[in-house]
Amino acid sequence: MKKTLAAIAIGMTAFAFVSGTAAAAPKSTSVILIDEANFAGDAVAEGLAGKGCQNVSQDDMATSLELFGGPITLWSERNCKGEKLVVTGDVADLGEFGFDNKTSSIFMG
């Protein structure tokens, strides 16, 4: 992606114009934690959104997750402590990463 920057000075004020394709602004992050592998239909789920460290309301229940934005960090203890796993996309089975039923908090953004 190439950007071109042109500045025009008028008196003591400068104006900048950017042309070309700029990088997309970061998307907000949200995640759905699901208590069964492969995003199972009748599963219990919990959604979280925003930035920073958040404790989940259903400790140690996540087996799969759907991620919107990202990346996020899953933590095994409340207040973003303990073991961690960085996730950059949907995960059908957290057990493949040794993190099934371990999530107690999440850091986003």
Side-chain angles (χ1 to χ4, degrees):
M1 290 192 253
K2 186 175 180 180
K3 292 195 276 185
T4 305
L5 177 63
I8 302 172
I10 303 173
M12 297 299 288
T13 306
F15 298 93
F17 300 94
V18 177
S19 63
T21 304
K27 297 178 182 178
S28 60
T29 300
S30 61
V31 63
I32 300 173
L33 304 173
I34 304 160
D35 78 340
E36 293 184 26
N38 300 312
F39 325 106
D42 291 333
V44 174
E46 177 178 353
L48 297 155
K51 292 185 177 186
C53 182
Q54 297 183 38
N55 294 323
V56 300
S57 65
Q58 301 178 64
D59 250 357
D60 303 328
M61 82 76 182
T63 295
S64 61
L65 64 83
E66 292 183 73
L67 180 61
F68 307 91
I72 64 170
T73 304
L74 306 178
W75 293 89
S76 64
E77 296 178 24
R78 299 183 75 67
N79 302 313
C80 294
K81 295 180 181 177
E83 294 178 58
K84 68 179 180 176
L85 175 67
V86 175
V87 178
T88 59
D90 293 351
V91 178
D93 187 355
L94 287 165
E96 293 179 14
F97 302 96
F99 227 80
D100 184 27
N101 297 323
K102 277 191 168 181
T103 303
S104 292
S105 58
I106 295 176
F107 185 87
M108 296 186 275

